[in-house]
Amino acid sequence: DDGQDAARRPNKLWARLLRRDSREQTPDFGEIKKLRRDIKIGIPRVLNMYSLAPFFRSYFEALGVGSQNIIFSSHTSPAMWFKGSRRGSIDQCFPSKSVIAHVHNLMFDQRERNRPDVIFFPIVQKLTTELSNTTDNAACPTVSITPEVCKAAFTKEGDVFAENGIQ
């Protein structure tokens, strides 16, 4: 089934990308190194990614992803919102609603050579804090689930990611 194959592809790609760099040469280490060098990773410029982007960017660069291949969506603007927000909504807050427009921006508005192969937008449920004696450090529930809601918006009536070569 094409849908099942498409669902498995991202896991295989990420598994190959994140394979640990070890002193022992694995048979496909050259392929992994090339994949890390050539892959283009899109990151929506939204929500918790503002504070977490430096960490993730450094992480990907440490894996061997070129800094020029880490692509951020454009800044939020009325034009971006109008163009990319038609897929669905998260009614609780505008910042969460704008995520769909940012993912649309990464898929359709980047120049062809800057179009990402993968969109990286993790679910973040806990945030580090400098505060002491706090009860919890949970992220907003709406913000935490936004990556899944966004994914659903682009896969409900067909897999727009797969149709555009994005995993």
Side-chain angles (χ1 to χ4, degrees), residues 17-163:
L17 175 68
L18 299 175
R19 183 178 233 163
R20 290 198 176 163
D21 185 332
S22 66
R23 300 286 175 209
E24 299 174 28
Q25 292 292 320
T26 57
D28 58 350
F29 184 71
E31 175 191 352
I32 294 166
K33 199 171 179 178
K34 182 180 182 329
L35 177 65
R36 289 178 180 178
R37 184 187 68 233
D38 296 342
I39 192 166
K40 292 179 184 162
I41 300 173
I43 300 176
R45 194 185 308 251
V46 293
L47 305 173
N48 293 326
M49 293 309 291
Y50 272 98
S51 60
L52 298 174
F55 167 77
F56 286 121
R57 183 180 190 126
S58 297
Y59 177 71
F60 288 130
E61 288 175 356
L63 285 173
V65 176
S67 61
Q68 73 280 3
N69 287 347
I70 300 171
I71 304 150
F72 290 91
S73 60
S74 302
H75 291 281
T76 305
S77 68
M80 175 197 278
W81 170 253
F82 180 76
K83 190 173 182 181
S85 65
R86 300 173 191 264
R87 295 201 165 271
S89 73
I90 303 166
D91 294 327
Q92 289 84 345
C93 69
F94 178 76
S96 289
K97 288 180 190 182
S98 70
V99 169
I100 293 170
H102 279 265
V103 171
H104 182 275
N105 175 263
L106 285 167
M107 285 199 295
F108 299 109
D109 296 339
Q110 299 294 325
R111 293 182 303 272
E112 187 63 37
R113 64 178 166 38
N114 278 345
R115 188 159 295 135
D117 301 310
V118 174
I119 294 179
F120 180 77
F121 188 38
I123 293 174
V124 177
Q125 294 179 325
K126 299 285 184 179
L127 300 167
T128 59
T129 181
E130 302 284 323
L131 302 174
S132 59
N133 300 320
T134 60
T135 303
D136 199 3
N137 61 341
C140 166
T142 300
V143 170
S144 293
I145 200 62
T146 298
E148 282 297 316
V149 173
C150 184
K151 179 181 176 185
F154 285 97
T155 57
K156 183 177 180 184
E157 297 172 359
D159 192 341
V160 179
F161 298 112
E163 291 168 9

